[in-house]
Amino acid sequence: MTRDPALSVDGLSVDYPLSSGGLFRRARSVTAVSDVSLQIAPGETLGLVGESGSGKTTVGRAILRRVPASAGRISFEGKDITHLRGDALRKLRARMQLILQDPYTSLNPRMTVADIVAEPLLVHGLVASRAEAAREVRGLLDRVGMPADAADRYPHSFSGGQRQRIGIARALALKPSLIVADEPVSALDVSVRAQVVNLMQDLQRELGIAFLFIAHDLAIVRHISHRVAIMYAGRIVEVAPREAIYERPVHPYTEALLSAVPVADPPVQRARRRIIHPGEAVDIADPPSGCRFHPRCPIATERCRDEVPPLEPKAEGHMAACWNRGGVMGLRMKVHS
Amino acid sequence: MNDPLLEIDDLRVDFDTRAGLVQAVRGVSLTLGRGETLGLVGESGSGKSVTAQAVMGLIDVPGRIAGGAVRWNGMPLVGEGVRRRPRRIWGREITMIFQNPMTSLNPLMTVGAQLGEVIHLYLGLRGAAARTRAAELLDAVGISGASRRLDQYPHEFSGGMRQRVMIAMAIASEPRLLIADEPTTALDVTIQAQILELLAGLQEKLGLSIILITHDLGIVAGLCHRVAVMYAGQIVETGTVDDIFARPGHPYTQGLIRSTPRLDAVEDRLVSIDGTPPGLRTPPEGCAFRPRCPAAQAACHAPQRLASHGAGHVACCRAGVDAWDVGAA
Ligand SMILES: Nc1ncnc2c1ncn2[C@@H]1O[C@H](COP(=O)(O)OP(=O)(O)OP(=O)(O)O)[C@@H](O)[C@H]1O
Ligand SMILES: Nc1ncnc2c1ncn2[C@@H]1O[C@H](COP(=O)(O)OP(=O)(O)OP(=O)(O)O)[C@@H](O)[C@H]1O
Ligand code: SF4
Ligand SMILES: [Mg+2]
Ligand SMILES: [Mg+2]
């Protein structure tokens, strides 16, 4: 693969200010995302999963330049965009779009569907006239499977799945090459989720859009992603092609996560064994030293408490950050030689 | 077979809203045996929570029981045949965990005080005895350091721990039926797994019956003995969990299962059920799923009745086909 990745993130960290209630106020902050690196190829879907508060949304927002990076570098289509400003940033924003979880609050209730979808076209001056905008809007609504008469109606008269389609039509208007989809189907009914998932898969195949697909639902992520990255407490602990993640997980946290997801097949599910780790989610303001998973990890050793394990190759295209699950790469090479 | 613990018989619940009459539950019948876990699944708005609220006697204006009955141990509890409000049942023999744990705990009272209230009310214990019992309950739901935890407020607990506290309160009165309405929806999967394990354990230890309301077919697969599928205020199918997953009889159930991706397999494409559920102000004549159903025929315009699909398995559809293969062809 010599093609430039659509997106390349290197060593990204993001801090949020923390309000301190103390008498001697000091500007404190939490590091919500630490040293995250990832790449997405054109037309590829990278699934990003992890528990609540692990930093998924923050990674997405940093990529879209909606929160500042406190360290690291973000490159988009070969250009460093970490510190773009003004006009250049506005142009960039047209090429990267966001689809949000909540189809109920992400559309302006006082605008017609036509205006909602046309707005980015007009703002970026991509259409010369209202008539041209209307033509574009018709095409976009058709593309996402909305009836033509949807254009003149308001968001409240549509169901959740339809509103999510409207959001997608709007995101597509500027022909982006990257879409960050942050939990795009979590708020939808089970029977409607498949409609939206299928639509996103079609778009990606036909238009070659790269997706960062953020979700809790590991089954949907398996279905839609080419590769999957697992986050834990602000760090990526494993990233690999989807079959490798689901069939041959390396990191103990990934294993625990996968074993906790129930499978919708009674005999299979009854026979599965869960790896239940004690303990609670990490307080990101005061994360554990070394490997952040060590207080819950069944195979943790001394080293895990003291040193941060690097995200390193464990097999072909398979990276993980664990001191005690390694050597897979070395082993393979021995076998092959 | 012994008598069912709970019988819901042709239950109807209406809401008078400004926009008109909403028929939220339209003739639901269900039975639940002792020690049985029943999964109640269906789309958002299909009437799962309202059914549960009706069993708990919680339907209040603008809602009303418009027909049918709920019986507890053969005794009328809700609807037809009820003479006195049987308060000793609700909160004691039948308890419920609500959809949103944050709104069901009092933020201004310590967890110990809230547990203490329930324990006093239903077990008649006070003071040190009540506190000991409260600590035992926290222990039973897997909260360590129970005696210290009793003096903390809900905001000092994580989401998963708050849900455990809710479960502790719900089992404090040693109920025989626990209704859990989406008990893990807001939780991470690792925490969800802990809570489900806890429920399964309690069920075994206490011989509880459980009605588990959920969207998640995986949870149903792992925890339930039987499943009832709701659509537009009606039950469209019930059966054992194995039958429902292996041989779903209703096109909606079939679509639901086939549109859910599996963790342990990759499908090329998910079945997508087009359209949306009908509004309940003017529920359609005949089968409510007809406008979305690939196997719909003229006969589906007439009212449908639950028909047998094998032992202990009924579905409200006579098509008896795999609707989604028909649709693809
Ligand atoms: N604006 C903010 N100010 C301060 N802290 C924040 C802010 N936004 C997020 N955080 C914190 O940063 C961490 C990461 O949050 P983020 O929203 O990225 O997580 P997430 O993985 O998307 O979680 P979820 O699955 O719940 O959406 C959390 O601890 C969160 O509390
Ligand atoms: N207090 C109320 N007033 C008016 N309508 C109501 C009220 N409570 C419920 N409904 C209506 O009753 C119907 C069934 O609602 P219910 O809460 O039982 O659905 P549900 O199956 O539990 O859905 P979800 O999966 O979203 O929780 C819905 O159409 C809802 O709008
Ligand atoms: S580095 Fe150590 S603590 Fe972290 S996952 Fe690996 S073995 Fe467990
Ligand atoms: Mg998020
Ligand atoms: Mg509900």
Side-chain angles (χ1 to χ4, degrees):
Chain A
M1 251 198 354
T2 47
R3 248 200 324 170
D4 271 347
L7 178 80
S8 178
V9 174
D10 297 292
L12 172 73
S13 295
V14 179
D15 295 344
Y16 288 115
L18 198 68
S19 50
S20 81
L23 192 56
F24 304 96
R25 272 163 203 255
R26 253 182 316 146
R28 288 210 301 143
S29 65
V30 282
T31 303
V33 163
S34 306
D35 196 18
V36 159
S37 298
L38 54 86
Q39 281 82 40
I40 308 180
E44 183 185 47
T45 297
L46 177 70
L48 185 59
V49 297
E51 55 200 71
S52 183
S54 58
K56 306 178 296 295
T57 295
T58 303
V59 167
R61 282 165 39 100
I63 289 168
L64 296 170
R65 294 284 325 276
R66 288 165 189 239
V67 285
S70 54
R73 199 181 110 109
I74 303 162
S75 313
F76 179 64
E77 298 181 324
K79 274 205 309 281
D80 185 344
I81 60 158
T82 324
H83 304 291
L84 279 192
R85 287 164 176 282
D87 217 35
L89 180 59
R90 217 171 30 251
K91 287 221 182 72
L92 171 78
R93 290 219 162 116
R95 310 278 303 137
M96 306 201 286
Q97 290 291 312
L98 177 64
I99 298 171
L100 284 170
Q101 169 176 1
D102 190 353
Y104 297 91
T105 56
S106 55
L107 303 177
N108 184 338
R110 275 178 285 278
M111 285 167 74
T112 64
V113 168
D115 289 339
I116 287 169
V117 177
E119 188 181 53
L121 292 167
L122 296 165
V123 167
H124 286 271
L126 293 187
V127 286
S129 64
R130 292 226 145 239
E132 195 185 336
R135 256 199 316 281
E136 279 286 315
V137 167
R138 265 200 306 280
L140 286 162
L141 288 178
D142 185 52
R143 187 67 208 74
V144 299
M146 291 291 287
D149 69 4
D152 302 321
R153 290 157 59 190
Y154 290 86
H156 70 81
S157 64
F158 294 97
S159 69
Q162 289 175 312
R163 280 187 246 215
Q164 199 54 289
R165 288 165 189 271
I166 296 166
I168 293 173
R170 179 184 156 99
L172 291 178
L174 298 174
K175 302 190 169 56
S177 54
L178 173 73
I179 289 182
V180 174
D182 193 353
E183 310 264 6
V185 297
S186 324
L188 302 179
D189 242 321
V190 189
S191 82
V192 177
R193 273 181 204 174
Q195 294 175 13
V196 175
V197 166
N198 286 349
L199 172 64
M200 300 218 299
Q201 268 184 325
D202 292 345
L203 292 173
Q204 177 217 52
R205 282 175 195 160
E206 288 162 32
L207 309 176
I209 299 171
F211 273 92
L212 178 65
F213 188 92
I214 299 173
H216 274 108
D217 185 326
L218 280 130
I220 288 194
V221 167
R222 177 171 196 170
H223 180 76
I224 203 167
S225 307
H226 299 106
R227 285 186 308 129
V228 177
I230 311 282
M231 279 191 89
Y232 186 79
R235 295 180 188 275
I236 290 186
V237 296
E238 182 158 9
V239 55
R242 76 166 167 198
E243 291 316 306
I245 284 272
Y246 286 86
E247 302 296 338
R248 297 179 296 282
V250 167
H251 199 281
Y253 174 65
T254 311
E255 278 179 348
L257 194 62
L258 288 172
S259 82
V261 181
V263 170
D265 183 330
V268 172
Q269 178 57 21
R270 283 194 294 262
R272 286 177 87 220
R273 298 216 63 88
R274 290 193 199 116
I275 310 169
I276 293 191
H277 294 323
E280 291 288 323
V282 170
D283 174 7
I284 202 79
D286 184 20
S289 61
C291 171
R292 289 180 174 181
F293 189 57
H294 86 254
R296 303 170 76 183
C297 182
I299 58 165
T301 46
E302 195 94 330
R303 188 181 195 185
C304 308
R305 210 182 49 210
D306 301 333
E307 294 173 61
V308 179
L311 186 65
E312 59 187 13
K314 304 285 185 180
E316 187 73 41
H318 195 147
M319 316 265 285
C322 174
W323 289 123
N324 295 330
R325 287 282 169 80
V328 182
M329 194 74 180
L331 214 69
R332 277 223 173 167
M333 287 193 302
K334 259 186 226 142
V335 170
H336 280 240
S337 63
Chain B
M1 221 178 86
N2 51 6
D3 291 338
L5 187 64
L6 180 80
E7 281 169 279
I8 305 177
D9 183 9
D10 199 25
L11 181 73
R12 293 169 189 277
V13 182
D14 291 350
F15 288 92
D16 288 304
T17 68
R18 265 189 303 160
L21 187 74
V22 172
Q23 301 176 31
V25 173
R26 305 188 293 138
V28 160
S29 298
L30 274 179
T31 59
L32 184 72
R34 284 158 233 274
E36 184 174 52
T37 299
L38 174 79
L40 196 54
V41 300
E43 319 246 323
S44 183
S46 59
K48 306 181 295 295
S49 294
V50 170
T51 301
Q53 286 155 12
V55 171
M56 286 299 290
L58 293 174
I59 300 296
D60 209 341
V61 273
R64 67 190 143 83
I65 305 292
V70 177
R71 285 185 289 277
W72 176 250
N73 276 318
M75 186 190 73
L77 183 68
V78 170
E80 285 158 20
V82 176
R83 266 173 255 128
R84 265 179 302 127
R85 298 212 93 198
R87 292 190 189 286
R88 296 173 57 84
I89 311 273
W90 293 316
R92 174 186 296 231
E93 292 189 30
I94 311 177
T95 59
M96 181 158 169
I97 311 170
F98 293 90
Q99 220 163 336
N100 186 346
M102 238 352 226
T103 57
S104 359
L105 285 173
N106 183 341
L108 301 178
M109 273 170 82
T110 64
V111 162
Q114 296 186 56
L115 270 169
E117 263 187 4
V118 183
I119 290 167
H120 173 62
L121 195 60
Y122 296 116
L123 302 182
L125 299 176
R126 298 169 190 275
R131 194 175 163 88
T132 307
R133 182 71 191 126
E136 284 168 8
L137 283 165
L138 285 193
D139 205 47
V141 297
I143 294 179
S144 52
S147 54
R148 174 177 54 90
R149 287 295 197 171
L150 286 175
D151 298 320
Q152 294 186 319
Y153 291 87
H155 74 262
E156 296 173 78
F157 289 69
S158 70
M161 288 168 86
R162 278 196 292 264
Q163 197 58 291
R164 285 165 187 267
V165 172
M166 291 304 304
I167 295 174
M169 299 199 24
I171 60 170
S173 63
E174 294 161 14
R176 300 168 67 191
L177 168 62
L178 175 66
I179 303 177
D181 193 353
E182 313 259 7
T184 60
T185 302
L187 305 175
D188 280 317
V189 285
T190 49
I191 312 293
Q192 168 178 293
Q194 296 173 6
I195 301 274
L196 296 177
E197 198 97 322
L198 170 64
L199 283 177
L202 289 171
Q203 138 127 79
E204 217 164 281
K205 238 185 288 159
L206 310 177
L208 263 181
S209 300
I210 298 179
I211 295 180
L212 181 73
I213 301 177
T214 178
H215 283 106
D216 189 328
L217 292 177
I219 294 179
V220 171
L223 207 65
C224 298
H225 304 113
R226 280 196 309 134
V227 185
V229 183
M230 285 192 79
Y231 190 80
Q234 295 174 321
I235 302 240
V236 295
E237 181 160 9
T238 59
T240 65
V241 70
D242 289 79
D243 273 350
I244 294 276
F245 278 84
R247 291 173 291 282
H250 195 281
Y252 172 66
T253 317
Q254 294 165 0
L256 198 61
I257 291 168
R258 302 263 302 273
S259 65
T260 307
R262 285 178 59 141
L263 184 77
D264 59 344
V266 181
E267 306 81 359
D268 190 39
R269 199 172 173 78
L270 301 175
V271 157
S272 144
I273 307 177
D274 285 338
T276 49
L280 295 175
R281 256 177 284 140
T282 46
E285 292 271 310
C287 173
F289 190 58
R290 174 174 45 79
R292 304 175 75 185
C293 181
Q297 309 152 9
C300 305
H301 288 264
Q304 305 293 309
R305 248 180 279 135
L306 287 169
S308 173
H309 269 250
H313 185 174
V314 292
C316 181
C317 176
R318 277 165 299 181
V321 294
D322 184 342
W324 300 95
D325 278 349
V326 171

